[in-house]
Amino acid sequence: MSKRFRQAIEKYRAALLRRDSSALEQIWTDDYFFVNAAREMLTRAQRLANLKSDATTLESINEEEELKVRIHQNTAVATSRVTIKGQYSGQPSSGQYRSIHIWIKGPTGWQLVANQLTALAAK
């Protein structure tokens, strides 16, 4: 995995934890979407509104577990098992999830096109 891509992942994680909407506006593409663990599909505008209204607040994100990255030209697909503590869209979302991120590399660097979280059953 390239150093620049690893930096993009870390920048994204830090922006989510800080609820840094200006950083996220640069990270998320205009047509970005997110499928959350409740199976809801949210647009970039909806996610930004949730962050600004405190409906989405994250205390911790550990995304280093089983992180696998496949880079194909200007597209990267990252999968991992992530442990999150916090809430999405006003609903508690703490637990372990399977995560997939789809990134594209453009003139400004890596941007996130889409991501999805799927809850893992408690063991």
Side-chain angles (χ1 to χ4, degrees):
M1 168 175 21
S2 77
K3 183 178 178 183
R4 286 196 193 274
F5 186 74
R6 172 148 317 265
Q7 289 170 340
I9 290 174
E10 182 51 37
K11 181 180 174 186
Y12 178 55
R13 190 181 76 80
L16 282 174
L17 289 170
R18 289 191 320 267
R19 294 189 356 248
D20 185 344
S21 57
S22 60
L24 291 167
E25 285 172 349
Q26 294 173 15
I27 292 169
W28 290 332
T29 60
D30 289 342
D31 60 349
Y32 163 84
F33 69 91
F34 171 57
V35 179
N36 66 20
R39 298 181 293 279
E40 300 165 327
M41 191 163 106
L42 302 173
T43 65
R44 178 181 190 256
Q46 289 170 315
R47 286 217 63 196
L48 288 168
N50 280 344
L51 286 166
K52 291 175 183 175
S53 72
D54 292 339
T56 295
T57 56
L58 301 171
E59 296 171 40
S60 65
I61 304 168
N62 176 359
E63 197 160 24
E64 295 300 313
E65 302 170 54
E66 301 176 17
L67 178 63
K68 292 186 177 95
V69 176
R70 295 155 191 89
I71 297 178
H72 306 275
Q73 297 176 346
N74 293 330
T75 304
V77 178
T79 58
S80 66
R81 187 171 48 109
V82 59
T83 303
I84 295 173
K85 195 173 191 179
Q87 67 177 17
Y88 279 109
S89 302
Q91 300 299 314
S93 292
S94 299
Q96 289 194 333
Y97 303 87
R98 181 67 58 201
S99 168
I100 184 167
H101 288 190
I102 301 168
W103 297 77
I104 58 168
K105 188 175 184 183
T108 60
W110 288 102
Q111 285 188 287
L112 189 57
V113 176
N115 66 298
Q116 179 172 348
L117 288 178
T118 303
L120 295 174
K123 293 183 179 178

